[in-house]
Amino acid sequence: MAEVVLENICKTYGNNFHAIDQLNLSVEDGEFLILVGPSGCGKSTALRMIAGLEDITSGSLRIGGVDVVDMPPKDRDIAMVFQSYALYPHMTVSENIAFSMRLAGKPKAERKKRVDEIAKTLQLTSLLDSKPANLSGGQRQRVAMGRAMVREPAAFLMDEPLSNLDAKLRVQMRAEITSLQKQLGVTTIYVTHDQIEAMTMGDRVAVLKGGVLQQVDTPKRLYESPVNAFVAGFIGSPSMNLFEATMTGAELMSGAFAIRLQDAAFVRRPGLKSYAGRKVVFGIRPEDLYDSSLESGRKYQTIPAKVTSIEELGSEHIVHLNIDAVRVDSGDPDAVQDFGLTSNAVARFEPDSAVRSGSAIRLALDDTKLHFFDPETHLAI
Amino acid sequence: MRKRNSGKDRLITVALHVALAAGLFFAAFPIYWMLSSSFKSNTEIFALPPTILPKAFTLEAYAAILGDPVKLRFFFNSYFLAGTVTVLTVLIALLAAYGFSRFNFRGKGSLNTLIISTQTIPPITLLIPFFGLVVSYGIFDTYVALILTYLVFTLPYAILLMTGYLNTLPRDLDEAVAVDGGTSWTALWRVIVPISLPGIVATSVYTFLLCWNEFLFALTLTKSTSMRTVPIGIQLLMGQHAFEWNQMMAMSVLGSLPLLVIYLVAQRYFLAGMTAGSVK
């Protein structure tokens, strides 16, 4: 067990493409850190650099206090779970798990004892003599976990280990991996593009975009205080609604509506005053928008909106809306999926909401939950 | 309307079958003739009109070949050469292909092009230069001469074949070995080779066939009877005064047998997906 420290890590390819730019990250001993970001953000590259499968162009990397930049993967005391699992197809489950011990020259009795222990933890005992081809996706995933656990490494590196599983199994394995990590207490760096995995599994989450670290924080703080519009849009599902508006006194003006801001908003963000008379980006999460005809929405101010479509999920309604404001692109390539082409806002209503597709409604919003960003830099105000 | 159509369809079907049967006859008759002649006596072979089935079935041609140490030596030579070249080719091609498939190095692209371009040179044009080289090395009329020249012809295609196969194996496997504490060498022998059997078998069969059937270089680079291979041996049965047709055919049958066996044994490897269960 050890801490993993990345200092000014850079990865530049031959064509001068910066896959990773000045990455500074400190993962504490026993911590579960999630690396998250849209595809191509460099999160897998970062993980592969920690594993030693990818050269580090510049910077320093220490695992358990030892500088490992020039070490091959086998000397770094790490174990990795691959997205594809990469099980050895010609070996049985037990041989797969014991392979690293065999390479290390551990005696047979010790190997067997360790494999049995791990198989018990992962409920693989009855499958030890099977070949990977005869296992289900979830079982293969557990074998891959076992192969990593057998080495008792200083750190686990996991590269989207759940992305090949179906949705139901993914939820189950999410919980299993989290509890296993807590039980073993091994420092874990986990790469995913799925922000639900990021929010539910990690002690802390590092958000990457274009090879640049945006924010590292606990899931709760990332959700509540994103440092910029990208993190605001990326964390949370459906994404935060981001719009451009003009600050006029204590009001946000956009098209046909105005949102009054309370004094508290300015007390919490002293910088907001300087935007008076200027454009500002404001954000509000779908769960902070309410159906004004329901009890929950009565206490808030309202703005006009037109419903374009509704997804009834049973426990809630995801309502796609159009409001008279210019939507701001957070830079998250997946956000378009949340908003679609015909709407510019999305809200989560309670299931007893009776709004209809195509109808004009009054949309209630909790103005204490507004987020503000600079329209140029997209940094939080 | 429908009836006329089906009549026309039937006519087309019949015509197609006749054409296919003619094609089949053209391909299969020589093999049948080889088999049937090998069981005839030499006098029956010269009978007019020729007999389609052996009138007097005899194994005398086979006995003559299998009882003659000189002719058995031809078989040994062919097996030994084809076997040695196959093993060497597979080993060298495997290492080269692993390099091409898994590593980046200077000149990789041009080296690949060079290997492909060697395939465009007809071997016969290299006969004279090889002859000169073999004589000046002092290895004329030896196994080494044939093994070296055969390797020159088998390796390029074998490397391409193996590289293509290794490229289909996920790199994650090599990386898993690296993380598990192994080197590239470990990955190659402990993981890549065991799951590359289909590629290795395909390469082996190709190489073995090429060596087994080779005539031109075997004829030119050897001289003594004890160094001759089966294809030369068959030709040697055409003497100045006598044509041992039945023995030539029997030797051809015996010469074809190993190839048939190899095909039957190797077949299942071509079909099996060796990497099933590795990823996803």
Side-chain angles (χ1 to χ4, degrees):
Chain A
M1 273 169 269
E3 57 169 7
V4 178
V5 181
L6 290 79
E7 272 174 9
N8 302 319
I9 294 275
C10 292
K11 175 77 189 180
T12 314
Y13 287 106
N15 53 5
N16 221 15
F17 170 72
H18 292 271
I20 299 285
D21 201 10
Q22 298 287 332
L23 178 58
N24 286 291
L25 200 55
S26 175
V27 191
E28 284 160 33
D29 187 5
E31 187 179 18
F32 197 145
L33 181 102
I34 309 274
L35 274 178
V36 71
S39 48
C41 72
K43 56 193 188 297
S44 279
T45 308
L47 192 80
R48 292 168 54 80
M49 282 158 83
I50 299 171
L53 298 172
E54 201 87 55
D55 287 337
I56 295 172
T57 310
S58 67
S60 110
L61 169 63
R62 292 192 304 278
I63 299 175
V66 182
D67 190 324
V68 297
V69 170
D70 296 318
M71 282 186 187
K74 67 188 179 76
D75 297 331
R76 294 192 179 196
D77 198 15
I78 44 102
M80 184 151 168
V81 178
F82 292 83
Q83 181 173 8
S84 66
Y85 314 144
L87 302 180
Y88 309 126
H90 58 302
M91 298 183 195
T92 63
V93 168
S94 129
E95 286 165 344
N96 260 286
I97 296 175
F99 189 65
S100 62
M101 293 182 80
R102 241 178 94 183
L103 290 184
K106 297 273 165 63
K108 200 174 172 188
E110 190 186 331
R111 291 195 318 244
K112 189 176 173 337
K113 186 167 166 266
R114 188 85 187 107
V115 168
D116 286 345
E117 277 168 24
I118 282 166
K120 210 171 152 194
T121 316
L122 295 171
Q123 292 164 22
L124 288 169
T125 308
S126 61
L127 300 170
L128 280 178
D129 295 323
S130 310
K131 293 267 176 74
N134 302 323
L135 304 182
S136 71
Q139 288 165 340
R140 285 177 202 174
Q141 215 287 325
R142 293 214 298 275
V143 177
M145 287 291 298
R147 202 168 61 174
M149 282 161 59
V150 76
R151 312 188 48 202
E152 303 184 299
F156 282 142
L157 307 176
M158 303 193 190
D159 189 3
E160 309 214 19
L162 303 184
S163 61
N164 286 334
L165 300 178
D166 59 56
K168 210 169 170 183
L169 200 54
R170 196 150 58 211
V171 175
Q172 186 191 334
M173 288 306 292
R174 217 155 65 194
E176 281 186 29
I177 290 179
T178 313
S179 72
L180 206 58
Q181 196 272 342
K182 290 279 166 290
Q183 187 187 324
L184 299 169
V186 177
T187 314
T188 302
I189 303 175
Y190 183 108
V191 161
T192 181
H193 68 273
D194 177 359
Q195 57 89 27
I196 297 178
E197 279 177 29
M199 293 298 281
T200 54
M201 297 175 78
D203 295 324
R204 280 193 308 156
V205 179
V207 184
L208 279 169
K209 180 198 168 199
V212 179
L213 182 64
Q214 307 289 310
Q215 188 172 4
V216 200
D217 227 320
T218 60
K220 189 171 152 63
R221 284 196 42 86
L222 272 186
Y223 181 82
E224 287 174 350
S225 321
V227 294
N228 58 32
F230 173 77
V231 176
F234 189 79
I235 297 295
S237 178
S239 296
M240 183 189 283
N241 300 292
L242 293 163
F243 296 102
E244 207 167 68
T246 309
M247 284 281 284
T248 312
E251 285 191 330
L252 281 172
M253 304 283 290
S254 175
F257 66 83
I259 300 167
R260 285 181 318 278
L261 301 179
Q262 296 166 24
D263 290 344
F266 294 94
V267 175
R268 253 187 293 149
R269 303 177 193 81
L272 200 55
K273 275 230 155 66
S274 65
Y275 286 84
R278 288 165 53 197
K279 287 219 180 317
V280 69
V281 172
F282 75 93
I284 185 143
R285 294 203 179 273
E287 44 275 42
D288 299 323
L289 294 169
Y290 298 87
D291 180 351
S292 60
S293 64
L294 295 178
E295 181 61 40
S296 56
R298 293 232 170 93
K299 55 183 181 273
Y300 302 117
Q301 55 181 313
T302 62
I303 58 171
K306 189 159 191 248
V307 179
T308 57
S309 65
I310 303 170
E311 299 169 56
E312 297 187 10
L313 301 180
S315 62
E316 62 183 7
H317 290 179
I318 304 290
V319 182
H320 297 266
L321 308 144
N322 250 318
I323 65 169
D324 191 9
V326 179
R327 197 171 83 82
V328 173
D329 181 10
S330 71
D332 172 12
D334 299 329
V336 73
Q337 290 175 0
D338 288 342
F339 293 100
L341 301 168
T342 53
S343 63
N344 67 1
V346 61
R348 296 166 89 144
F349 285 178
E350 288 160 79
D352 41 0
S353 164
V355 297
R356 294 259 168 89
S357 184
S359 60
I361 61 161
R362 295 297 298 184
L363 181 66
L365 60 88
D366 181 354
D367 59 79
T368 62
K369 298 286 177 63
L370 285 171
H371 298 258
F372 295 91
F373 305 95
D374 183 277
E376 301 294 321
T377 63
H378 278 195
L379 290 176
I381 300 166
Chain B
M1 188 79 177
R2 172 176 279 187
K3 203 161 192 188
R4 207 190 314 162
N5 238 353
S6 80
K8 200 175 160 193
D9 282 353
R10 183 170 297 174
L11 204 69
I12 290 172
T13 313
V14 169
L16 259 171
H17 277 86
V18 169
L20 285 172
L24 179 68
F25 177 78
F26 193 78
F29 183 75
I31 297 169
Y32 168 74
W33 199 243
M34 171 180 82
L35 269 170
S36 110
S37 300
S38 73
F39 294 115
K40 292 175 184 171
S41 68
N42 215 27
T43 30
E44 191 183 337
I45 285 176
F46 285 103
L48 271 174
T51 51
I52 298 295
L53 280 169
K55 218 174 251 159
F57 184 90
T58 168
L59 290 172
E60 65 171 55
Y62 288 93
I65 287 166
L66 296 173
D68 182 352
V70 175
K71 287 170 188 139
L72 285 180
R73 175 78 188 216
F74 298 157
F75 279 94
F76 169 79
N77 286 344
S78 274
Y79 275 118
F80 177 72
L81 280 170
T84 311
V85 172
T86 301
V87 170
L88 288 175
T89 300
V90 167
L91 270 178
I92 299 169
L94 198 60
L95 292 172
Y98 190 60
F100 275 121
S101 164
R102 296 301 202 256
F103 299 96
N104 281 316
F105 48 88
R106 266 166 81 104
K108 178 170 161 174
S110 12
L111 206 57
N112 229 322
T113 315
L114 190 72
I115 289 177
I116 295 169
S117 64
T118 59
Q119 298 290 293
T120 61
I121 304 167
I124 195 164
T125 58
L126 302 175
L127 188 62
I128 305 296
F130 265 123
F131 185 78
L133 209 59
V134 160
V135 169
S136 63
Y137 275 13
I139 51 173
F140 179 72
D141 202 22
T142 63
Y143 289 130
V144 178
L146 286 181
I147 290 171
L148 287 180
T149 33
Y150 286 179
L151 280 175
V152 170
F153 296 115
T154 57
L155 272 175
Y157 188 66
I159 292 172
L160 293 180
L161 208 65
M162 281 308 300
T163 308
Y165 189 81
L166 294 193
N167 281 341
T168 66
L169 302 179
R171 270 162 184 262
D172 280 1
L173 288 174
D174 302 65
E175 295 181 343
V177 174
V179 171
D180 268 347
T183 58
S184 298
W185 197 248
T186 326
L188 175 62
W189 294 112
R190 305 283 277 269
V191 176
I192 300 301
V193 168
I195 60 175
S196 296
L197 270 178
I200 291 173
V201 168
T203 311
S204 304
V205 170
Y206 159 80
T207 311
F208 196 91
L209 291 187
L210 201 98
C211 298
W212 187 266
N213 290 326
E214 207 285 323
F215 181 81
L216 194 61
F217 283 80
L219 180 70
T220 318
L221 301 181
T222 63
K223 190 177 71 186
S224 50
T225 313
S226 65
M227 284 305 300
R228 298 304 201 179
T229 57
V230 173
I232 315 291
I234 294 171
Q235 189 249 354
L236 284 177
L237 290 170
M238 288 195 257
Q240 206 175 349
H241 304 292
F243 278 66
E244 301 289 348
W245 281 113
N246 58 345
Q247 284 191 39
M248 283 167 66
M249 291 305 153
M251 201 152 167
S252 302
V253 171
L254 291 172
S256 315
L257 276 180
L259 309 184
L260 198 68
V261 172
I262 288 172
Y263 262 129
L264 291 178
V265 172
Q267 187 163 238
R268 71 187 186 96
Y269 289 104
F270 294 123
L271 302 173
M274 297 296 281
T275 57
S278 165
V279 295
K280 296 196 179 166

